[in-house]
Amino acid sequence: MKWTKKQRQPKLQERIKEDPFITDEALASLFQVSVQTIRLDRLEMNIPEVRERIKDVAQKQYDPVRALPEEEIIGEIIDLELDKYAISILDIKQEHVFSRNNIARGHHLFAQANSLAVAVINDELALTANAEISFKRQVSAGERVIAKAKVVDIRRNRTDVTVESFVEQSLVFEGRFSMFREDYAEGGE
Amino acid sequence: MKWTKKQRQPKLQERIKEDPFITDEALASLFQVSVQTIRLDRLEMNIPEVRERIKDVAQKQYDPVRALPEEEIIGEIIDLELDKYAISILDIKQEHVFSRNNIARGHHLFAQANSLAVAVINDELALTANAEISFKRQVSAGERVIAKAKVVDIRRNRTDVTVESFVEQSLVFEGRFSMFREDYAEGGE
């Protein structure tokens, strides 16, 4: 059963409030209307598009990346608290997929996660020592991957970072990265 | 103590026979002469350069890659026996390193190994399910990474591949990749 615009708009607003990362495509399929209808609803209710919402949710002023120049990060950092957590988004384009089946190549999802694990470290030097990773679901061209890194353990010169990457609400990649860093006691601030 | 050319050349020839993957740079440091001297020695003794030697060592006719178009492989395949083993080389260039310290970024070593793990599978479809990887030594611009993949376990639709990557004789990366494939019973041939 479809709702009228009047019924739909408050529910839409509520849904976006619950999950600011939800895309117009996902909302369209949820409410069984076209993407265009969702866009018009958003315009009428003055709700920005998902990329802007993600940035709004993120801290307005996130910490500056220390371990590498920000332009060397694969994906776009949208939130970061050094030695705590970081979030980045990567839009999967034609250049990221296998030509044969349109599925994103593992090393791009790995690169997004790994560079986020480097970026979250509060040190001038951070290198990956080892990692256990898992590809949970195929990702296709056109999808947006949101990676969330969390620092889970800081020892003297080793820091463990977990990264979970999502498309919409579904987990597509997870990894645990063990990172070398300069001595935390000296390097941390 | 330095050798004369007459003393050096037979030893050089022997060393290259023992390890055809050794570079001119490594030979130069071993024999305490310049790289140019090594090149001249090789010319005089008619020994091809390392890349050619690697290709000579490899099967002249290696199996055709099935799981992806060969140009989508990161690195250059120099030997391959489907569902058995594969070897590729990747020359680390400026575009592969962190600008700050000239160290190769992990995701490039990962990409070489992972695409080799895909390439070795004798199937039209091969996707990485999960991996445990380890970065053993830093790799710098100018170094050549030789990755060796070995199929260690084939089950119904899962195949495990180990990859070890070397610069000269030293291990720089190792990983164990668990690959999805179409049903081996049907897909294998």
Side-chain angles (χ1 to χ4, degrees), chain A residues 65-69 71-74 97-101 103-108 110-111 114-115 118 123-136 138 177 180, chain B residues 65-69 71-74 97-101 103-108 110-111 114-115 118 123-136 138 177 180:
Chain A
V65 177
R66 290 192 65 207
L68 76 175
E71 64 275 15
E72 293 189 5
I73 294 167
I74 313 298
V97 300
F98 285 109
S99 60
R100 198 175 279 178
N101 50 26
I103 296 172
R105 303 191 59 174
H107 65 264
H108 295 299
F110 176 85
N114 194 24
S115 65
V118 173
D123 209 311
E124 295 289 332
L125 180 74
L127 293 170
T128 310
N130 45 59
E132 278 177 47
I133 58 171
S134 201
F135 296 92
K136 296 301 191 182
Q138 298 165 16
F177 295 83
F180 276 122
Chain B
V65 177
R66 291 191 62 205
L68 78 175
E71 65 273 16
E72 293 189 5
I73 293 167
I74 313 299
V97 301
F98 285 109
S99 60
R100 198 175 277 176
N101 49 26
I103 297 172
R105 304 191 60 174
H107 64 265
H108 295 299
F110 176 84
N114 194 22
S115 64
V118 173
D123 209 311
E124 294 290 333
L125 180 75
L127 294 170
T128 310
N130 44 62
E132 277 177 47
I133 58 171
S134 200
F135 297 93
K136 296 300 190 183
Q138 297 165 17
F177 296 84
F180 276 122

